Amino acid sequence: NNILSFWKKKINIVYPGRGDYYSYGTVHITKGHFWDVVGHEIGHALYDMANIGVMEGGPHRIDECYSKGLALSEGWASFFSAWLSVDLKDPDAKFEYMVPRRAPLQFENIPSDVCPGEKNEWRVTGFLWDLVDIHEDFEDTLKIPFKTFWNFTLKKGFRSSSSLYKSMIKKGFPPELLKLVWEQNFLGPPKNVS
């Protein structure tokens, strides 16, 4: 997709690692066949190098709420992993290995017990996925090409999903469709958006 012009330095990969995580230019992987986890950690590296948004770390459980920045950085990494390996037409898009206690991790159809709002990474993943997927359902029909979305987010340093949303509105993406995708994933209307 000719989107890698920003890439200026090497991403180091430690395999087998002692855990699955990204830190200071290095991806650590425990199991190479866990495709969704590998894609997620590489997603962190690209998100960081491309300055898509804030990089926050700390404890997080995929079905709980925490900070908007942490949810965006984690959710974007999962979104990237999905884009790499999941069919954009899949009506039940999901991860196989990520978070075994909740596997399979559906992000086209997020379970209702997941914390609502943009402070949850799972919901951020679903929101971002619904911007680019081409599955025909009634709520999310944006079908933004990944390259268009990538170029829009490159070097923006977003602080939250709502800051990305507001920027998309200002750029001319259809507000009525963006609002539907937001409400479908975050279970409520976007706040403080003009």
Side-chain angles (χ1 to χ4, degrees):
N1 278 301
N2 193 27
I3 62 172
L4 298 178
S5 60
F6 75 95
W7 198 332
K8 305 293 184 210
K9 57 185 176 179
K10 180 180 173 182
I11 297 174
N12 298 307
I13 298 179
V14 175
Y15 173 79
R18 294 183 181 183
D20 297 301
Y21 62 96
Y22 168 74
S23 180
Y24 301 105
T26 301
V27 170
H28 300 258
I29 300 295
T30 58
K31 294 181 174 79
H33 67 284
F34 282 16
W35 60 269
D36 45 5
V37 176
V38 172
H40 174 90
E41 299 308 337
I42 290 172
H44 276 307
L46 296 179
Y47 175 91
D48 183 20
M49 283 198 295
N51 190 24
I52 303 287
V54 296
M55 284 295 296
E56 287 190 24
H60 56 280
R61 290 174 61 92
I62 195 137
D63 42 15
E64 296 176 359
C65 282
Y66 19 87
S67 75
K68 292 177 184 180
L70 179 57
L72 178 61
S73 62
E74 290 294 331
W76 195 94
S78 293
F79 157 71
F80 183 78
S81 181
W83 178 76
L84 282 177
S85 302
V86 177
D87 186 343
L88 290 169
K89 296 180 293 227
D90 191 339
D92 188 29
K94 59 186 166 287
F95 293 124
E96 186 176 358
Y97 300 105
M98 201 178 295
V99 191
R101 71 180 174 82
R102 294 299 303 246
L105 202 66
Q106 299 171 300
F107 49 90
E108 179 68 47
N109 304 294
I110 300 170
S112 61
D113 67 329
V114 174
C115 181
E118 67 175 307
K119 291 182 177 183
N120 175 270
E121 69 181 270
W122 197 345
R123 295 201 176 275
V124 171
T125 300
F127 172 69
L128 297 174
W129 178 256
D130 283 345
L131 296 176
V132 303
D133 79 329
I134 56 175
H135 167 61
E136 288 289 341
D137 60 7
F138 296 108
E139 298 299 318
D140 56 88
T141 56
L142 283 162
K143 300 179 186 170
I144 300 167
F146 182 82
K147 184 176 180 180
T148 300
F149 185 70
W150 174 267
N151 288 331
F152 170 74
T153 59
L154 186 64
K155 299 186 187 289
K156 293 291 192 327
F158 292 111
R159 303 201 60 72
S160 64
S161 295
S162 54
S163 65
L164 184 143
Y165 177 92
K166 290 174 192 175
S167 187
M168 291 183 79
I169 298 273
K170 287 180 184 171
K171 188 69 173 175
F173 288 93
E176 63 284 346
L177 294 178
L178 281 171
K179 185 173 186 278
L180 282 172
V181 172
W182 181 279
E183 290 176 347
Q184 175 181 307
N185 285 285
F186 295 123
L187 305 181
K191 296 178 180 161
N192 304 320
V193 178
S194 52

Short mmCIF file of all heavy atoms in Angstrom, two decimals, residues 134-192:
data_model
loop_
_atom_site.label_atom_id
_atom_site.label_comp_id
_atom_site.label_asym_id
_atom_site.label_seq_id
_atom_site.Cartn_x
_atom_site.Cartn_y
_atom_site.Cartn_z
N ILE A 134 -15.16 -3.80 5.20
CA ILE A 134 -16.11 -3.74 4.09
C ILE A 134 -17.25 -4.74 4.27
O ILE A 134 -17.99 -5.01 3.34
CB ILE A 134 -15.40 -3.93 2.73
CG1 ILE A 134 -14.61 -5.23 2.69
CG2 ILE A 134 -14.50 -2.74 2.43
CD1 ILE A 134 -13.98 -5.54 1.34
N HIS A 135 -17.40 -5.26 5.48
CA HIS A 135 -18.53 -6.13 5.80
C HIS A 135 -19.82 -5.32 5.65
O HIS A 135 -19.92 -4.21 6.18
CB HIS A 135 -18.39 -6.68 7.22
CG HIS A 135 -19.63 -7.32 7.73
ND1 HIS A 135 -20.21 -8.41 7.13
CD2 HIS A 135 -20.43 -7.00 8.77
CE1 HIS A 135 -21.30 -8.74 7.80
NE2 HIS A 135 -21.45 -7.90 8.79
N GLU A 136 -20.78 -5.86 4.94
CA GLU A 136 -22.03 -5.16 4.70
C GLU A 136 -22.98 -5.33 5.89
O GLU A 136 -23.65 -6.33 6.01
CB GLU A 136 -22.71 -5.68 3.43
CG GLU A 136 -22.03 -5.26 2.16
CD GLU A 136 -22.20 -3.79 1.83
OE1 GLU A 136 -23.11 -3.14 2.37
OE2 GLU A 136 -21.39 -3.28 1.04
N ASP A 137 -22.99 -4.35 6.77
CA ASP A 137 -24.04 -4.32 7.79
C ASP A 137 -24.65 -2.93 7.73
O ASP A 137 -24.22 -2.08 6.98
CB ASP A 137 -23.54 -4.72 9.18
CG ASP A 137 -22.44 -3.83 9.71
OD1 ASP A 137 -22.14 -2.81 9.09
OD2 ASP A 137 -21.90 -4.17 10.77
N PHE A 138 -25.66 -2.71 8.51
CA PHE A 138 -26.43 -1.48 8.37
C PHE A 138 -25.83 -0.28 9.10
O PHE A 138 -26.11 0.85 8.78
CB PHE A 138 -27.87 -1.71 8.85
CG PHE A 138 -28.58 -2.71 8.01
CD1 PHE A 138 -28.86 -3.97 8.51
CD2 PHE A 138 -28.94 -2.42 6.71
CE1 PHE A 138 -29.51 -4.91 7.73
CE2 PHE A 138 -29.58 -3.35 5.93
CZ PHE A 138 -29.88 -4.60 6.43
N GLU A 139 -25.01 -0.54 10.10
CA GLU A 139 -24.51 0.56 10.93
C GLU A 139 -23.23 1.19 10.40
O GLU A 139 -23.11 2.40 10.35
CB GLU A 139 -24.29 0.06 12.37
CG GLU A 139 -25.55 -0.42 13.04
CD GLU A 139 -26.60 0.66 13.17
OE1 GLU A 139 -26.26 1.80 13.50
OE2 GLU A 139 -27.77 0.37 12.92
N ASP A 140 -22.26 0.37 10.08
CA ASP A 140 -20.96 0.93 9.68
C ASP A 140 -20.73 0.72 8.20
O ASP A 140 -20.45 -0.37 7.75
CB ASP A 140 -19.82 0.35 10.53
CG ASP A 140 -19.76 -1.15 10.49
OD1 ASP A 140 -19.10 -1.67 9.59
OD2 ASP A 140 -20.35 -1.79 11.36
N THR A 141 -20.88 1.77 7.45
CA THR A 141 -20.76 1.67 5.99
C THR A 141 -19.76 2.68 5.44
O THR A 141 -19.89 3.12 4.32
CB THR A 141 -22.13 1.91 5.34
OG1 THR A 141 -22.62 3.18 5.78
CG2 THR A 141 -23.13 0.83 5.69
N LEU A 142 -18.75 3.02 6.20
CA LEU A 142 -17.76 4.00 5.74
C LEU A 142 -16.79 3.41 4.72
O LEU A 142 -16.47 4.04 3.73
CB LEU A 142 -16.98 4.59 6.92
CG LEU A 142 -17.76 5.64 7.70
CD1 LEU A 142 -17.13 5.86 9.06
CD2 LEU A 142 -17.81 6.94 6.94
N LYS A 143 -16.26 2.22 4.99
CA LYS A 143 -15.36 1.52 4.08
C LYS A 143 -14.19 2.40 3.63
O LYS A 143 -13.84 2.46 2.46
CB LYS A 143 -16.12 1.00 2.87
CG LYS A 143 -17.22 0.03 3.22
CD LYS A 143 -17.95 -0.42 1.99
CE LYS A 143 -19.14 -1.26 2.39
NZ LYS A 143 -20.02 -1.54 1.28
N ILE A 144 -13.57 3.08 4.58
CA ILE A 144 -12.43 3.93 4.26
C ILE A 144 -11.25 3.04 3.89
O ILE A 144 -10.88 2.16 4.66
CB ILE A 144 -12.05 4.81 5.48
CG1 ILE A 144 -13.23 5.70 5.88
CG2 ILE A 144 -10.81 5.65 5.19
CD1 ILE A 144 -13.05 6.37 7.25
N PRO A 145 -10.64 3.25 2.72
CA PRO A 145 -9.46 2.45 2.40
C PRO A 145 -8.37 2.65 3.45
O PRO A 145 -8.16 3.76 3.94
CB PRO A 145 -9.01 3.00 1.04
CG PRO A 145 -10.24 3.66 0.48
CD PRO A 145 -11.01 4.17 1.67
N PHE A 146 -7.68 1.55 3.82
CA PHE A 146 -6.68 1.63 4.87
C PHE A 146 -5.64 2.69 4.56
O PHE A 146 -5.24 3.45 5.45
CB PHE A 146 -6.00 0.28 5.10
CG PHE A 146 -5.00 0.34 6.23
CD1 PHE A 146 -5.42 0.23 7.54
CD2 PHE A 146 -3.65 0.53 5.98
CE1 PHE A 146 -4.51 0.31 8.60
CE2 PHE A 146 -2.73 0.60 7.02
CZ PHE A 146 -3.17 0.49 8.33
N LYS A 147 -5.19 2.79 3.33
CA LYS A 147 -4.17 3.78 2.97
C LYS A 147 -4.67 5.20 3.24
O LYS A 147 -3.93 6.04 3.75
CB LYS A 147 -3.78 3.62 1.50
CG LYS A 147 -2.65 4.54 1.09
CD LYS A 147 -2.22 4.29 -0.34
CE LYS A 147 -1.08 5.23 -0.72
NZ LYS A 147 -0.64 5.00 -2.09
N THR A 148 -5.92 5.47 2.94
CA THR A 148 -6.51 6.79 3.22
C THR A 148 -6.52 7.05 4.72
O THR A 148 -6.15 8.13 5.18
CB THR A 148 -7.95 6.86 2.65
OG1 THR A 148 -7.90 6.64 1.25
CG2 THR A 148 -8.61 8.20 2.95
N PHE A 149 -6.96 6.05 5.48
CA PHE A 149 -7.01 6.19 6.94
C PHE A 149 -5.61 6.37 7.51
O PHE A 149 -5.37 7.22 8.36
CB PHE A 149 -7.71 4.98 7.57
CG PHE A 149 -7.90 5.12 9.05
CD1 PHE A 149 -8.80 6.03 9.55
CD2 PHE A 149 -7.18 4.34 9.93
CE1 PHE A 149 -8.98 6.17 10.92
CE2 PHE A 149 -7.35 4.46 11.29
CZ PHE A 149 -8.26 5.39 11.79
N TRP A 150 -4.66 5.57 7.03
CA TRP A 150 -3.27 5.67 7.49
C TRP A 150 -2.72 7.07 7.24
O TRP A 150 -2.17 7.70 8.12
CB TRP A 150 -2.41 4.63 6.78
CG TRP A 150 -0.97 4.77 7.10
CD1 TRP A 150 -0.04 5.48 6.40
CD2 TRP A 150 -0.29 4.24 8.24
NE1 TRP A 150 1.19 5.40 7.02
CE2 TRP A 150 1.05 4.65 8.15
CE3 TRP A 150 -0.69 3.45 9.32
CZ2 TRP A 150 2.00 4.29 9.10
CZ3 TRP A 150 0.26 3.09 10.25
CH2 TRP A 150 1.58 3.51 10.15
N ASN A 151 -2.87 7.55 6.01
CA ASN A 151 -2.35 8.88 5.67
C ASN A 151 -3.00 9.97 6.50
O ASN A 151 -2.36 10.96 6.87
CB ASN A 151 -2.51 9.16 4.18
CG ASN A 151 -1.56 8.34 3.33
OD1 ASN A 151 -0.47 7.97 3.77
ND2 ASN A 151 -1.96 8.03 2.12
N PHE A 152 -4.28 9.78 6.82
CA PHE A 152 -4.97 10.76 7.66
C PHE A 152 -4.41 10.78 9.09
O PHE A 152 -4.30 11.82 9.70
CB PHE A 152 -6.47 10.44 7.69
CG PHE A 152 -7.22 11.24 8.71
CD1 PHE A 152 -7.47 12.58 8.51
CD2 PHE A 152 -7.61 10.66 9.90
CE1 PHE A 152 -8.12 13.34 9.47
CE2 PHE A 152 -8.26 11.39 10.87
CZ PHE A 152 -8.52 12.73 10.65
N THR A 153 -4.05 9.61 9.62
CA THR A 153 -3.60 9.53 11.01
C THR A 153 -2.10 9.73 11.19
O THR A 153 -1.63 10.02 12.30
CB THR A 153 -3.98 8.17 11.64
OG1 THR A 153 -3.39 7.11 10.89
CG2 THR A 153 -5.49 7.98 11.69
N LEU A 154 -1.33 9.61 10.13
CA LEU A 154 0.14 9.70 10.20
C LEU A 154 0.60 11.02 10.80
O LEU A 154 0.17 12.09 10.38
CB LEU A 154 0.71 9.53 8.79
CG LEU A 154 2.22 9.45 8.65
CD1 LEU A 154 2.76 8.21 9.35
CD2 LEU A 154 2.60 9.41 7.17
N LYS A 155 1.44 10.91 11.82
CA LYS A 155 2.09 12.04 12.50
C LYS A 155 1.11 13.03 13.13
O LYS A 155 1.39 14.23 13.23
CB LYS A 155 3.02 12.77 11.53
CG LYS A 155 4.14 11.89 11.02
CD LYS A 155 5.13 12.68 10.19
CE LYS A 155 6.14 11.80 9.52
NZ LYS A 155 7.11 11.18 10.33
N LYS A 156 -0.04 12.53 13.58
CA LYS A 156 -1.04 13.41 14.19
C LYS A 156 -0.96 13.45 15.72
O LYS A 156 -1.45 14.36 16.33
CB LYS A 156 -2.45 12.99 13.77
CG LYS A 156 -2.76 13.18 12.30
CD LYS A 156 -2.83 14.62 11.91
CE LYS A 156 -3.39 14.90 10.56
NZ LYS A 156 -3.18 14.02 9.47
N GLY A 157 -0.40 12.44 16.34
CA GLY A 157 -0.26 12.43 17.79
C GLY A 157 -1.59 12.52 18.54
O GLY A 157 -1.70 13.23 19.54
N PHE A 158 -2.59 11.79 18.09
CA PHE A 158 -3.91 11.84 18.74
C PHE A 158 -3.80 11.44 20.22
O PHE A 158 -3.03 10.56 20.58
CB PHE A 158 -4.89 10.91 18.02
CG PHE A 158 -5.24 11.38 16.64
CD1 PHE A 158 -4.81 10.67 15.53
CD2 PHE A 158 -6.00 12.52 16.45
CE1 PHE A 158 -5.13 11.09 14.26
CE2 PHE A 158 -6.32 12.95 15.17
CZ PHE A 158 -5.89 12.23 14.07
N ARG A 159 -4.60 12.08 21.04
CA ARG A 159 -4.58 11.81 22.48
C ARG A 159 -5.71 10.87 22.91
O ARG A 159 -5.71 10.37 24.02
CB ARG A 159 -4.66 13.12 23.25
CG ARG A 159 -3.51 14.06 22.84
CD ARG A 159 -3.18 15.13 23.82
NE ARG A 159 -2.75 14.71 25.13
CZ ARG A 159 -1.57 14.14 25.44
NH1 ARG A 159 -0.71 13.89 24.48
NH2 ARG A 159 -1.29 13.83 26.67
N SER A 160 -6.68 10.68 22.03
CA SER A 160 -7.84 9.85 22.35
C SER A 160 -8.59 9.51 21.07
O SER A 160 -8.35 10.12 20.02
CB SER A 160 -8.77 10.59 23.31
OG SER A 160 -9.29 11.74 22.65
N SER A 161 -9.52 8.59 21.17
CA SER A 161 -10.38 8.27 20.03
C SER A 161 -11.25 9.47 19.68
O SER A 161 -11.53 9.71 18.50
CB SER A 161 -11.26 7.06 20.34
OG SER A 161 -10.45 5.92 20.52
N SER A 162 -11.69 10.22 20.68
CA SER A 162 -12.53 11.38 20.38
C SER A 162 -11.75 12.47 19.64
O SER A 162 -12.30 13.16 18.79
CB SER A 162 -13.20 11.94 21.64
OG SER A 162 -12.27 12.20 22.64
N SER A 163 -10.45 12.62 19.93
CA SER A 163 -9.67 13.61 19.18
C SER A 163 -9.51 13.16 17.72
O SER A 163 -9.58 13.99 16.81
CB SER A 163 -8.32 13.88 19.83
OG SER A 163 -7.48 12.74 19.82
N LEU A 164 -9.37 11.87 17.49
CA LEU A 164 -9.33 11.34 16.13
C LEU A 164 -10.67 11.58 15.44
O LEU A 164 -10.73 12.05 14.30
CB LEU A 164 -8.99 9.86 16.18
CG LEU A 164 -8.81 9.16 14.83
CD1 LEU A 164 -7.70 8.13 14.92
CD2 LEU A 164 -10.08 8.49 14.38
N TYR A 165 -11.75 11.30 16.14
CA TYR A 165 -13.11 11.48 15.62
C TYR A 165 -13.34 12.94 15.22
O TYR A 165 -13.81 13.22 14.12
CB TYR A 165 -14.11 11.03 16.70
CG TYR A 165 -15.56 11.23 16.38
CD1 TYR A 165 -16.30 10.21 15.77
CD2 TYR A 165 -16.22 12.41 16.69
CE1 TYR A 165 -17.64 10.37 15.49
CE2 TYR A 165 -17.56 12.58 16.40
CZ TYR A 165 -18.27 11.56 15.80
OH TYR A 165 -19.59 11.72 15.52
N LYS A 166 -13.00 13.86 16.11
CA LYS A 166 -13.19 15.30 15.81
C LYS A 166 -12.37 15.72 14.60
O LYS A 166 -12.84 16.49 13.76
CB LYS A 166 -12.78 16.14 17.02
CG LYS A 166 -13.72 16.02 18.20
CD LYS A 166 -13.16 16.76 19.40
CE LYS A 166 -13.93 16.41 20.66
NZ LYS A 166 -13.35 17.03 21.86
N SER A 167 -11.16 15.21 14.50
CA SER A 167 -10.31 15.53 13.36
C SER A 167 -10.89 14.98 12.06
O SER A 167 -10.81 15.62 11.01
CB SER A 167 -8.90 14.97 13.62
OG SER A 167 -8.01 15.40 12.64
N MET A 168 -11.51 13.81 12.12
CA MET A 168 -12.14 13.22 10.93
C MET A 168 -13.32 14.07 10.48
O MET A 168 -13.52 14.28 9.28
CB MET A 168 -12.59 11.79 11.21
CG MET A 168 -11.43 10.83 11.38
SD MET A 168 -11.96 9.11 11.63
CE MET A 168 -12.33 8.66 9.92
N ILE A 169 -14.10 14.57 11.44
CA ILE A 169 -15.24 15.44 11.11
C ILE A 169 -14.72 16.70 10.40
O ILE A 169 -15.24 17.10 9.36
CB ILE A 169 -16.02 15.84 12.38
CG1 ILE A 169 -16.60 14.60 13.06
CG2 ILE A 169 -17.07 16.89 12.08
CD1 ILE A 169 -17.93 14.13 12.60
N LYS A 170 -13.68 17.32 10.97
CA LYS A 170 -13.11 18.54 10.38
C LYS A 170 -12.55 18.29 8.98
O LYS A 170 -12.58 19.18 8.13
CB LYS A 170 -12.01 19.10 11.27
CG LYS A 170 -12.53 19.75 12.53
CD LYS A 170 -11.40 20.29 13.39
CE LYS A 170 -11.96 20.85 14.68
NZ LYS A 170 -10.90 21.19 15.63
N LYS A 171 -12.04 17.08 8.74
CA LYS A 171 -11.45 16.75 7.45
C LYS A 171 -12.51 16.44 6.39
O LYS A 171 -12.21 16.35 5.22
CB LYS A 171 -10.50 15.55 7.62
CG LYS A 171 -9.69 15.20 6.43
CD LYS A 171 -8.65 16.26 6.12
CE LYS A 171 -7.73 15.79 5.00
NZ LYS A 171 -6.81 16.78 4.58
N GLY A 172 -13.78 16.29 6.82
CA GLY A 172 -14.85 16.09 5.85
C GLY A 172 -15.38 14.67 5.72
O GLY A 172 -16.16 14.39 4.82
N PHE A 173 -14.96 13.77 6.62
CA PHE A 173 -15.56 12.44 6.61
C PHE A 173 -17.03 12.59 7.02
O PHE A 173 -17.37 13.49 7.79
CB PHE A 173 -14.82 11.52 7.58
CG PHE A 173 -13.45 11.11 7.11
CD1 PHE A 173 -12.33 11.84 7.48
CD2 PHE A 173 -13.28 10.00 6.28
CE1 PHE A 173 -11.05 11.47 7.05
CE2 PHE A 173 -12.01 9.63 5.84
CZ PHE A 173 -10.90 10.37 6.22
N PRO A 174 -17.93 11.75 6.51
CA PRO A 174 -19.36 11.93 6.74
C PRO A 174 -19.74 11.84 8.23
O PRO A 174 -19.67 10.77 8.83
CB PRO A 174 -20.02 10.81 5.95
CG PRO A 174 -18.95 9.99 5.35
CD PRO A 174 -17.63 10.59 5.68
N PRO A 175 -20.18 12.97 8.82
CA PRO A 175 -20.46 12.99 10.26
C PRO A 175 -21.56 12.04 10.70
O PRO A 175 -21.48 11.46 11.77
CB PRO A 175 -20.83 14.45 10.55
CG PRO A 175 -21.08 15.08 9.24
CD PRO A 175 -20.40 14.27 8.18
N GLU A 176 -22.60 11.86 9.88
CA GLU A 176 -23.70 10.98 10.28
C GLU A 176 -23.24 9.53 10.36
O GLU A 176 -23.63 8.79 11.25
CB GLU A 176 -24.91 11.14 9.35
CG GLU A 176 -24.70 10.75 7.90
CD GLU A 176 -23.90 11.75 7.04
OE1 GLU A 176 -23.68 12.90 7.45
OE2 GLU A 176 -23.46 11.34 5.96
N LEU A 177 -22.38 9.12 9.43
CA LEU A 177 -21.87 7.74 9.46
C LEU A 177 -20.84 7.57 10.58
O LEU A 177 -20.83 6.54 11.26
CB LEU A 177 -21.25 7.36 8.11
CG LEU A 177 -22.23 7.26 6.94
CD1 LEU A 177 -21.51 6.92 5.65
CD2 LEU A 177 -23.32 6.24 7.23
N LEU A 178 -19.98 8.56 10.79
CA LEU A 178 -19.02 8.49 11.90
C LEU A 178 -19.75 8.37 13.23
O LEU A 178 -19.36 7.60 14.10
CB LEU A 178 -18.13 9.73 11.91
CG LEU A 178 -16.98 9.76 10.92
CD1 LEU A 178 -16.33 11.12 10.89
CD2 LEU A 178 -15.96 8.69 11.26
N LYS A 179 -20.83 9.13 13.39
CA LYS A 179 -21.61 9.09 14.63
C LYS A 179 -22.22 7.70 14.85
O LYS A 179 -22.20 7.16 15.96
CB LYS A 179 -22.69 10.16 14.60
CG LYS A 179 -23.47 10.29 15.90
CD LYS A 179 -24.41 11.48 15.84
CE LYS A 179 -25.10 11.72 17.16
NZ LYS A 179 -26.26 10.86 17.37
N LEU A 180 -22.74 7.09 13.79
CA LEU A 180 -23.30 5.74 13.90
C LEU A 180 -22.23 4.74 14.33
O LEU A 180 -22.47 3.90 15.20
CB LEU A 180 -23.89 5.29 12.56
CG LEU A 180 -25.26 5.85 12.19
CD1 LEU A 180 -25.61 5.47 10.76
CD2 LEU A 180 -26.32 5.35 13.15
N VAL A 181 -21.05 4.81 13.71
CA VAL A 181 -19.97 3.89 14.06
C VAL A 181 -19.53 4.11 15.50
O VAL A 181 -19.28 3.16 16.25
CB VAL A 181 -18.79 4.04 13.07
CG1 VAL A 181 -17.58 3.23 13.53
CG2 VAL A 181 -19.21 3.60 11.68
N TRP A 182 -19.45 5.38 15.91
CA TRP A 182 -19.07 5.70 17.29
C TRP A 182 -20.06 5.07 18.26
O TRP A 182 -19.69 4.36 19.19
CB TRP A 182 -19.01 7.21 17.49
CG TRP A 182 -18.61 7.59 18.87
CD1 TRP A 182 -19.41 7.64 19.97
CD2 TRP A 182 -17.29 7.94 19.32
NE1 TRP A 182 -18.68 8.02 21.08
CE2 TRP A 182 -17.38 8.21 20.70
CE3 TRP A 182 -16.07 8.07 18.69
CZ2 TRP A 182 -16.28 8.59 21.45
CZ3 TRP A 182 -14.97 8.46 19.44
CH2 TRP A 182 -15.09 8.71 20.81
N GLU A 183 -21.34 5.36 18.05
CA GLU A 183 -22.38 4.87 18.98
C GLU A 183 -22.46 3.36 19.01
O GLU A 183 -22.69 2.76 20.07
CB GLU A 183 -23.73 5.49 18.61
CG GLU A 183 -23.77 6.98 18.90
CD GLU A 183 -25.07 7.65 18.46
OE1 GLU A 183 -25.86 7.04 17.71
OE2 GLU A 183 -25.27 8.81 18.87
N GLN A 184 -22.27 2.73 17.87
CA GLN A 184 -22.32 1.27 17.81
C GLN A 184 -21.21 0.64 18.65
O GLN A 184 -21.43 -0.38 19.29
CB GLN A 184 -22.18 0.83 16.35
CG GLN A 184 -22.08 -0.66 16.15
CD GLN A 184 -21.92 -0.99 14.69
OE1 GLN A 184 -22.71 -0.55 13.87
NE2 GLN A 184 -20.90 -1.76 14.36
N ASN A 185 -20.05 1.24 18.64
CA ASN A 185 -18.90 0.65 19.34
C ASN A 185 -18.76 1.12 20.78
O ASN A 185 -18.41 0.34 21.65
CB ASN A 185 -17.61 0.92 18.56
CG ASN A 185 -17.53 0.04 17.35
OD1 ASN A 185 -17.27 -1.14 17.45
ND2 ASN A 185 -17.82 0.61 16.19
N PHE A 186 -19.01 2.38 21.04
CA PHE A 186 -18.78 2.93 22.38
C PHE A 186 -20.06 2.99 23.22
O PHE A 186 -20.03 3.37 24.38
CB PHE A 186 -18.14 4.31 22.29
CG PHE A 186 -16.75 4.28 21.69
CD1 PHE A 186 -16.45 5.02 20.56
CD2 PHE A 186 -15.75 3.50 22.24
CE1 PHE A 186 -15.18 5.00 20.01
CE2 PHE A 186 -14.47 3.46 21.69
CZ PHE A 186 -14.19 4.22 20.57
N LEU A 187 -21.19 2.61 22.63
CA LEU A 187 -22.49 2.51 23.31
C LEU A 187 -22.98 3.84 23.87
O LEU A 187 -23.56 3.89 24.95
CB LEU A 187 -22.43 1.44 24.42
CG LEU A 187 -21.98 0.05 23.99
CD1 LEU A 187 -22.00 -0.90 25.18
CD2 LEU A 187 -22.82 -0.48 22.85
N GLY A 188 -22.76 4.89 23.13
CA GLY A 188 -23.23 6.21 23.53
C GLY A 188 -22.76 7.23 22.52
O GLY A 188 -21.88 6.96 21.71
N PRO A 189 -23.36 8.41 22.55
CA PRO A 189 -22.99 9.45 21.58
C PRO A 189 -21.61 10.05 21.89
O PRO A 189 -21.19 10.05 23.05
CB PRO A 189 -24.09 10.50 21.75
CG PRO A 189 -24.56 10.32 23.14
CD PRO A 189 -24.41 8.85 23.45
N PRO A 190 -20.93 10.56 20.87
CA PRO A 190 -19.67 11.25 21.12
C PRO A 190 -19.94 12.53 21.91
O PRO A 190 -20.95 13.20 21.69
CB PRO A 190 -19.15 11.57 19.72
CG PRO A 190 -20.31 11.43 18.80
CD PRO A 190 -21.30 10.52 19.47
N LYS A 191 -19.07 12.85 22.84
CA LYS A 191 -19.27 14.02 23.69
C LYS A 191 -18.39 15.17 23.24
O LYS A 191 -17.28 14.97 22.76
CB LYS A 191 -18.97 13.68 25.14
CG LYS A 191 -19.92 12.64 25.68
CD LYS A 191 -19.60 12.25 27.09
CE LYS A 191 -20.63 11.22 27.53
NZ LYS A 191 -20.24 10.45 28.65
N ASN A 192 -18.89 16.39 23.41
CA ASN A 192 -18.14 17.61 23.11
C ASN A 192 -17.60 17.65 21.69
O ASN A 192 -16.46 18.02 21.45
CB ASN A 192 -16.97 17.79 24.10
CG ASN A 192 -17.45 17.78 25.54
OD1 ASN A 192 -18.49 18.36 25.85
ND2 ASN A 192 -16.70 17.13 26.40
#
